[in-house]
């Protein structure tokens, strides 16, 4: 009996050490390459300074990467004979961007570290944080130590990425499948305080929705005709290059650009949280940072899983 207890004790200790060894940590690169995170920050700041929209683009890359089989950099992979790139998925095609900036970051980080040490998945996580900070938003300690996938799945991306046409129950269910709750849903949707969307994505709402401010619909129709102009852009809120609470204020005026935006404030269970964030920036900042950390921890590849890519666009 004593030997069994000893065995179980050792087993639990080993399991604890293994879990600790392969869990994500903000200090993961502190010893092996302390220059890595400052290098990422420099390039992100420069890219966002050149084009403020890039901040939203880099944030979105991390989001769309994490929702498809975890935060493993699979979104960055180009097509091969073995799989089709996730860049061609419905929620990504002609939409996700910023890959050249990721390439630039990867090259610089590998240079300052002397070899490929930092994963492309971690680069996405850090670049998302640094983009938010560059546009006036909150900071948070990014947990690191992810490894990169060796494959991608367009089919999975098609099935799991949230759609701009989703109503609230569909959004809640979509996020729940990723281990995220309603607070995470509303906080992370607040990332739409940055950036723009294409006419193709919001056309149906501005011509057919009933829960939309008529003046706002008219304003958007001016640059988004019923036919043509699919690539014409419109901001999610009046300050698309500033991380603020204007997105939530817009929702309360029925000025959400996407159906999935306005769904958050449409007489449902998330109305109260939208009201809170609209008037309390500190609450939004706190919850956004917390939810970003939580999202960044979706099914990460760690330890001996995956690898560290030399080129973010292809497996080694």
């Amino acid at each position: 009996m004593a030997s069994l207890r000893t065995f179980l004790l050792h087993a639990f200790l080993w399991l604890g050490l293994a879990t600790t060894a392969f869990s994500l940590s903000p200090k993961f690169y502190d010893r092996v390459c302390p220059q890595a995170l400052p290098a990422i920050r420099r390039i992100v700041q420069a890219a966002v300074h050149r084009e403020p929209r890039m901040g939203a683009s880099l944030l979105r890359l991390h989001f769309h990467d994490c929702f498809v089989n975890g935060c493993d950099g699979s979104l960055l992979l180009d097509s091969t004979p073995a799989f089709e790139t996730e860049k061609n998925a419905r929620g990504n095609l002609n939409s996700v961007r910023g890959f050249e900036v990721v390439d630039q970051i990867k090259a610089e980080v590998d240079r300052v570290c002397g070899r490929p040490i930092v994963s492309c998945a971690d680069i996405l996580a850090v670049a998302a944080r640094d983009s938010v900070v560059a546009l006036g938003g909150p900071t948070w300690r990014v947990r690191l130590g992810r490894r990169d996938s060796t494959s991608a799945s367009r089919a999975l991306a098609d099935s799991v990425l949230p759609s701009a046409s989703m109503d609230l129950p569909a959004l809640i269910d979509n996020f729940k499948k990723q281990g995220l709750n309603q607070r995470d849903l509303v906080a992370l949707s607040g990332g739409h305080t940055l950036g723009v969307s294409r006419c193709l994505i919001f056309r149906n709402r501005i011509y057919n929705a009933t829960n939309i401010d008529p003046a706002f619909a008219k304003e958007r129709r001016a640059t988004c005709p019923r036919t043509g102009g699919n690539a014409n852009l419109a901001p999610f809120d009046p300050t698309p290059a500033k991380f603020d609470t204007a997105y939530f204020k817009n929702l309360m005026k029925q000025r959400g650009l996407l159906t999935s935006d306005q769904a958050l404030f449409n007489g449902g269970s998330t109305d109260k949280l939208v009201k809170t964030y609209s008037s309390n920036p500190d609450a939004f900042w706190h919850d956004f940072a917390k939810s970003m950390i939580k999202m960044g921890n979706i099914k990460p590849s760690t330890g001996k899983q995956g690898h560290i890519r030399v080129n973010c666009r292809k497996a080694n």
Side-chain angles (χ1 to χ4, degrees), residues 118-252:
V118 181
S119 68
C120 300
D122 274 350
I123 285 173
L124 289 182
V126 177
R129 188 271 311 274
D130 291 348
S131 293
V132 169
V133 172
L135 293 172
T139 189
W140 59 92
R141 298 188 76 198
V142 180
R143 296 177 183 175
L144 302 164
R146 300 167 190 81
R147 289 169 67 84
D148 297 321
S149 68
T150 57
S151 65
S153 174
R154 176 195 168 167
L156 184 60
D158 277 333
S159 67
V160 301
L161 287 176
S163 162
S165 62
M166 282 182 171
D167 61 12
L168 184 59
L171 288 167
I172 291 171
D173 182 63
N174 181 276
F175 274 63
K176 184 179 180 180
K177 288 175 179 175
Q178 301 289 350
L180 302 172
N181 59 31
Q182 291 190 41
R183 185 173 293 271
D184 299 318
L185 164 63
V186 180
L188 292 172
S189 295
H192 280 180
T193 187
L194 302 175
V196 295
S197 184
R198 293 175 298 146
C199 167
L200 174 68
I201 306 301
F202 60 82
R203 176 184 286 120
N204 183 61
R205 171 161 165 75
I206 64 173
Y207 284 100
N208 298 314
T210 56
N211 62 341
I212 191 168
D213 173 53
F216 176 70
K218 182 179 180 181
E219 180 184 347
R220 287 290 159 261
R221 290 171 187 166
T223 56
C224 182
R226 285 187 181 274
T227 58
N230 285 350
N232 293 352
L233 301 175
F236 285 108
D237 73 18
T239 54
K242 183 179 180 184
F243 196 96
D244 55 21
T245 60
Y247 169 77
F248 297 108
K249 291 182 170 70
N250 254 20
L251 298 187
M252 293 181 65

Side-chain angles (χ1 to χ4, degrees), residues 60 75 114 155 161 205 245 253 265 304:
R60 191 159 179 256
L75 175 57
L161 287 176
R205 171 161 165 75
T245 60
K253 299 174 184 175
F265 191 82
K304 294 183 179 180

